[in-house]
Amino acid sequence: MSTREPEVDVELQPGHEAAVRVAVATLWSAPEAVRPIDRPALGAHTDIPGWIAGMDAEQQVGECVLSQLLLGERVLVTQVRPDGWAHVVAVHQPAPRLDPRGYPGWLPTAHLAPLTPTQGGGPEIVVDAGVTGLRATPGGPVAVAGVVLGTRLHRAGPPRDGWLPVQVPGHDRPLWIRETDGVPLPAAAPEAAEVLAVAERLREVAYVWGGVSGHGIDCSGLVHLAWRRFGVTLPRDARDQATATTPVPAGQERPGDLYFFARPGRGIHHVGIVSAAPGDDRRMLHACYRRRQVVEEALPAERVATLVAAHRV
């Protein structure tokens, strides 16, 4: 069902790129799949923490959610409906089994803004704070709340009094982020230990099917987001992440590598980040469907039974 009033942004055109204008946008399987409980995730200013808090454990794993996109993330618009929904391809979330261009799904048009010629001109920064807000002026009122770790934006000029100006889709003038919250995007590939340290900061975050933020996240979303923080683009889904990474011989895995899991005769269904060198037991950090949160733990027997590979990015 659709819970939004009909609205069409005439500037969004199929075949053209747009960018996410809200802090966290949710990618849906279809407009008709949206549930009444999803209303906080649909407004012009999304309330993702409120949305997740309002769901019970079963609603958190509803397959109507495909993925999430962060502020500034680019999409290719493929269809615009008159009821205020757009079908898009998330070009920074590779999904080769679904679409060679990126991850496909539906967004409210209110969550998108057309790209302008000036966007993307400055050096890129990445949000390193768990959650932060963008201000209308340095230290002024919050213009966009709930901006999360891993969000990538472009600088719009020099810092001022500890604040950085950034280009934000849907805003004609730069907004401002604390200089300590927005750091330069690394020029070199990170060490695996650095990526693991970022993922460790997401311990106890709620498990949400399709989640890709510090408000709620799933297993492959955790891997995707931790590497995204360092400018490395991995596929969105676990099976594609396995294809895009390099196998490591058993017993030679190290912290920051990936464990992949599959049941006999089935495709990969789960991924975790190796959190300790192999010893008497294997350990990993992962978004756990069963415990409904991000945990670090020794692999229980049922996990070991379905462990099919260790890979390195």
Side-chain angles (χ1 to χ4, degrees):
M1 62 173 290
S2 175
T3 59
R4 300 186 61 253
E5 293 296 323
E7 175 185 353
V8 175
D9 189 332
V10 296
E11 295 181 285
L12 295 177
Q13 296 293 334
H16 293 260
E17 287 195 345
V20 174
R21 67 190 299 168
V22 295
V24 179
T26 301
L27 194 67
W28 305 91
S29 60
E32 294 75 21
V34 173
R35 307 158 297 183
I37 193 69
D38 300 322
R39 185 181 296 274
L42 300 173
H45 300 281
T46 57
D47 179 9
I48 302 302
W51 172 55
I52 294 172
M55 291 191 287
D56 62 30
E58 292 308 308
Q59 290 167 332
Q60 288 177 342
V61 295
E63 294 186 5
C64 56
V65 175
L66 300 176
S67 188
Q68 288 183 314
L69 290 74
L70 306 187
L71 178 68
E73 193 165 340
R74 285 175 31 235
V75 301
L76 173 66
V77 178
T78 59
Q79 181 182 348
V80 179
R81 292 194 349 181
D83 62 352
W85 285 88
H87 188 269
V88 303
V89 173
V91 299
H92 292 301
Q93 296 190 21
R97 291 180 300 110
L98 301 175
D99 190 313
R101 300 170 297 179
Y103 212 107
W106 292 88
L107 293 174
T109 57
H111 293 178
L112 297 172
L115 288 179
T116 66
T118 60
Q119 286 175 332
E124 201 167 15
I125 67 163
V126 61
V127 173
D128 190 51
V131 182
T132 190
L134 303 183
R135 311 290 181 121
T137 58
V142 173
V144 180
V147 177
V148 297
L149 174 74
T151 299
R152 291 164 59 173
L153 299 167
H154 290 271
R155 282 183 54 170
R160 183 193 304 172
D161 301 326
W163 295 83
L164 285 174
V166 289
Q167 301 169 2
V168 180
H171 293 262
D172 294 333
R173 297 181 179 180
L175 300 182
W176 297 80
I177 185 172
R178 289 186 188 275
E179 203 167 0
T180 53
D181 289 349
V183 300
L185 197 66
E191 297 292 331
E194 295 178 280
V195 180
L196 176 59
V198 167
E200 288 272 7
R201 292 165 56 188
L202 298 170
R203 280 202 205 199
E204 300 184 1
V205 167
Y207 183 100
V208 174
W209 184 276
V212 191
S213 84
H215 301 308
I217 204 160
D218 67 13
C219 66
S220 55
L222 177 66
V223 172
H224 178 87
L225 183 63
W227 283 93
R228 176 192 173 108
R229 158 63 182 84
F230 295 95
V232 177
T233 300
L234 289 184
R236 173 62 182 86
D237 291 339
R239 190 180 304 184
D240 296 326
Q241 290 173 352
T243 302
T245 51
T246 303
V248 176
Q252 295 186 26
E253 63 268 28
R254 61 192 185 208
D257 289 342
L258 304 176
Y259 282 139
F260 290 99
F261 301 85
R263 298 180 182 89
R266 305 285 294 275
I268 287 170
H269 69 272
H270 189 63
V271 60
I273 303 173
V274 178
S275 57
D280 295 335
D281 55 24
R282 294 183 172 95
R283 302 191 68 86
M284 71 175 178
L285 180 77
H286 66 133
C288 182
Y289 178 96
R290 297 168 185 169
R291 296 172 61 178
R292 295 293 200 269
Q293 65 177 345
V294 177
V295 298
E296 194 280 335
E297 63 179 356
L299 272 61
E302 60 269 24
R303 286 287 189 202
V304 174
T306 59
L307 176 62
V308 294
H311 284 213
R312 185 164 296 155
V313 178

